Amino acid sequence: IADFNKAVERDPDNAETFDRRGLAFNAQGDRAHAIADYDRAIALDPGDDVALENLCLVQSNEGDGGAGADCNKSARSDSGPTRENALKLALPKS
């Protein structure tokens, strides 16, 4: 997470960085910070279906079924992101 924090400091308008940091927070069980980062990623890039799906996954795991997010948006096409694809996108690029 420290590396993502540095990346956010360097480029606070990068939606992908917020999405990836959200995944890291979620992996550590920090749902509140994960949700905040997914929300920020979506605010920066409203078309970011990966961040939206990640947000919906966290919220559905908390039992609110994705309340507050348009969770049907990412399901609008067969080519939308899957949980596996979203997690692959979170891995650092080499």
Side-chain angles (χ1 to χ4, degrees):
I1 292 178
D3 288 338
F4 289 120
N5 291 340
K6 290 176 188 174
V8 166
E9 286 177 20
R10 282 191 307 269
D11 187 1
D13 295 324
N14 187 319
E16 185 177 354
T17 301
F18 281 97
D19 183 49
R20 289 179 181 204
R21 187 174 71 174
L23 285 167
F25 278 128
N26 189 36
Q28 291 186 345
D30 188 344
R31 306 287 190 263
H33 280 107
I35 289 170
D37 275 356
Y38 296 142
D39 282 338
R40 180 68 178 141
I42 294 164
L44 290 167
D45 181 3
D48 187 348
D49 285 345
V50 173
L52 177 62
E53 184 158 326
N54 288 335
L55 175 62
C56 291
L57 286 170
V58 171
Q59 290 179 330
S60 67
N61 287 338
E62 289 189 333
D64 66 6
D70 184 4
C71 292
N72 294 322
K73 180 180 175 186
S74 65
R76 69 177 174 249
S77 72
D78 291 337
S79 62
T82 63
R83 180 182 176 127
E84 292 79 19
N85 287 340
L87 293 175
K88 287 178 190 173
L89 290 171
L91 298 174
K93 296 177 184 175
S94 36

